[in-house]
Amino acid sequence: MAPSPTRRAMGVDVARAVALIGMVAVHVFPEEHVDGAMSWPFAVFAGRASALFAVLAGVSIAFVEKRSRGQLHGRTLAADRAALVVRGLLILLIGLLLGHLETPIETIIPYFGILFILAVPFYGHSSRFLLIAAPIFAILGPVLRHLLNGNIPEQQPDPEADYTLVTAARQPVLFIIDMLVTGFYPAILWMAYLCVGMVIGRQVLTSRKVALKLVGWGAGLAISTWALSKILLGPAGGMQRLIEATPSLSTEEIAEQLAYGPESIFIPNTTWWWMAVVSPYSDTPLNILHNLGAAVAAIGVILLLTRSGSKVFSPFAAVGTMTLTLYSAHCIVIMLEVLDEERPVVSLWVQIISFMLFAMVWRSAIGKGPLEGIISDASEWIRNRVRTPRKRRPRDSSATEPPTPGTINLKAPLQRRDGTP
């Protein structure tokens, strides 16, 4: 049987489960009800659940750093980075395979594979370095995305479709640009989440003081960015600037994008005032920082709730240990349409309960999730190959070096005086 998780691991795993459940809820619930009111899953989880997932990916990378016990140099550092590349490539492969399912959801998995690869040069750097890098990604990434909006030719038959192994191989340049900047979950922007997650993972997560700091700093960032957006779009006149610069959209349509996010991949780029928007999936600087704050606060709250290590959280912790497998299963369920789309509450609970039952049985019997086990074994294999140098066979000096004059070569065959053996 797999060992029970530590309190630290339980809190992080429960947070992963919450992120997964949040993304599933956004997929199965409509954005708004029949009466036009925004649905609560969309209001709570849209954009924030996936951001929480990304921050926790950074936490998991920091856990790998801790395993190296501070020996992050030389072969150990190279081995860990090589393992990170393998992990990213395998996650990318899984994401591209999920793209073949042609589900109505935008699969986040291939972008996560790119994130792990981008994290390689940041692995092992100081927390100060990561905390400086995070806001740079959060600010300059959206600026680059804003500039590229409309300047990248669309070569895919359906630009909003998920990439597959075939489409990625056919147009590798466009694929890389989309994964990094112009796609649904642009990795350059989302590196802000990963960098902060790596810093969080280095902390003593069983500490109540650390958890409270995460709640305070996260909530402060989320609230302040939201308030700043309201000020910029309200008293500062930003809303009027949006209306004047975007005549193709009515005032009602602009207000709808401010509430529900862009209708397609991008928000309009008719004016830089769009960068003041905080709406789901808008990928503006304030939106990235708002989601980051919400994710950090959520991690802090969950760490506080799970400090006791109560068994009531065990089903969620089990789900959190195999989120890649269960997310993939969710994509398959959506593709097969085996659950009634008109009954989102039933669909959500059926998936949550099924995930919990599967995760608990699999974890108690085998351990790591199916996909997680494959990725872990592959990355561990490459880590050991790089960390342990190949031993060279000793050279037989007698076969290549002549004996020194005046010495007897004991390995040479005895010869008679006439030279015959």
Side-chain angles (χ1 to χ4, degrees):
M1 295 180 60
S4 59
T6 63
R7 286 187 296 167
R8 180 200 68 185
M10 174 175 282
V12 173
D13 288 338
V14 170
R16 289 195 189 101
V18 171
L20 175 64
I21 293 171
M23 289 189 288
V24 172
V26 171
H27 295 159
V28 301
F29 276 84
E31 294 182 2
E32 60 183 13
H33 298 295
V34 179
D35 59 1
M38 182 181 294
S39 65
W40 70 264
F42 190 85
V44 174
F45 292 116
R48 300 187 183 97
S50 49
L52 174 59
F53 207 46
V55 173
L56 291 167
V59 173
S60 67
I61 293 175
F63 287 172
V64 177
E65 289 181 336
K66 287 185 176 181
R67 284 177 46 190
S68 298
R69 301 180 183 276
Q71 303 297 320
L72 287 176
H73 54 79
R75 284 190 175 273
T76 299
L77 179 59
D80 285 356
R81 286 178 169 173
L84 202 56
V85 171
V86 171
R87 183 177 293 271
L89 290 175
L90 289 176
I91 293 174
L92 175 61
L93 174 61
I94 293 170
L96 294 177
L97 290 175
L98 290 176
H100 288 278
L101 299 179
E102 298 183 354
T103 61
I105 63 178
E106 291 81 31
T107 307
I108 197 173
I109 300 302
Y111 296 91
F112 267 69
I114 300 295
L115 271 177
F116 274 92
I117 296 173
L118 289 180
V120 170
F122 295 86
Y123 183 87
H125 279 282
S126 67
S127 295
R128 177 179 297 180
F129 178 88
L130 295 174
L131 290 177
I132 293 174
I136 292 176
F137 283 120
I139 295 172
L140 297 186
V143 170
L144 179 60
R145 182 178 171 87
H146 183 86
L147 294 173
L148 292 178
N149 184 2
N151 295 319
I152 300 296
E154 296 178 352
Q155 301 175 17
Q156 280 186 278
D158 183 2
E160 296 189 8
D162 285 332
Y163 275 99
T164 66
L165 286 170
V166 176
T167 55
R170 284 178 178 173
Q171 41 203 6
V173 175
L174 181 63
F175 167 71
I176 293 173
I177 294 175
D178 277 349
M179 290 291 108
L180 293 177
V181 186
T182 59
F184 287 103
Y185 307 100
I188 290 293
L189 286 66
W190 283 53
M191 276 297 294
Y193 302 138
L194 205 73
C195 288
V196 173
M198 291 173 68
V199 175
I200 293 174
R202 294 172 178 177
Q203 311 307 310
V204 181
L205 298 183
T206 53
S207 168
R208 184 173 180 270
K209 183 177 180 181
V210 169
L212 288 173
K213 284 185 176 180
L214 293 177
V215 174
W217 282 104
L221 180 60
I223 294 171
S224 61
T225 49
W226 177 85
L228 179 58
S229 175
K230 293 298 181 182
I231 293 172
L232 291 174
L233 296 176
M239 182 64 177
Q240 186 61 34
R241 301 294 189 280
L242 297 181
I243 295 172
E244 294 172 353
T246 319
S248 60
L249 297 177
S250 65
T251 302
E252 291 75 15
E253 289 173 330
I254 291 177
E256 187 173 350
Q257 292 208 24
L258 295 183
Y260 291 91
E263 294 182 355
S264 60
I265 301 177
F266 297 99
I267 60 171
N269 64 342
T270 54
T271 173
W272 285 99
W273 279 95
W274 283 104
M275 293 289 99
V277 170
V278 173
S279 60
Y281 312 110
S282 57
D283 287 325
T284 66
L286 291 181
N287 175 240
I288 295 290
L289 293 174
H290 170 79
N291 289 342
L292 176 59
V296 172
I299 293 173
V301 170
I302 294 171
L303 289 175
L304 286 173
L305 293 175
T306 57
R307 287 188 74 246
S308 64
S310 174
K311 292 185 178 180
V312 71
F313 298 108
S314 296
F316 294 94
V319 169
T321 61
M322 52 189 76
T323 48
L324 178 59
T325 295
L326 297 178
Y327 183 94
S328 302
H330 164 66
C331 292
I332 295 174
V333 169
I334 296 295
M335 181 214 40
L336 295 176
E337 298 181 350
V338 294
L339 298 175
D340 189 357
E341 295 181 0
E342 302 299 323
R343 303 175 67 184
V345 175
V346 174
S347 175
L348 177 63
W349 278 108
V350 167
Q351 292 185 68
I352 291 175
I353 294 173
S354 300
F355 291 168
M356 287 182 174
L357 291 176
F358 172 82
M360 293 181 71
V361 171
W362 184 281
R363 193 177 187 215
S364 62
I366 298 177
K368 296 177 181 176
L371 295 180
E372 287 77 9
I374 294 172
I375 293 175
S376 177
D377 291 344
S379 58
E380 191 64 27
W381 180 84
I382 195 66
R383 179 183 287 108
N384 292 333
R385 293 281 294 182
V386 175
R387 181 181 296 167
T388 307
R390 297 179 63 181
K391 295 181 179 180
R392 296 182 178 180
R393 298 178 63 180
R395 187 174 58 177
D396 188 357
S397 59
S398 63
T400 57
E401 298 180 4
T404 304
T407 63
I408 300 176
N409 187 355
L410 299 178
K411 294 185 179 180
L414 295 176
Q415 293 185 340
R416 298 177 181 174
R417 290 185 177 180
D418 60 0
T420 61

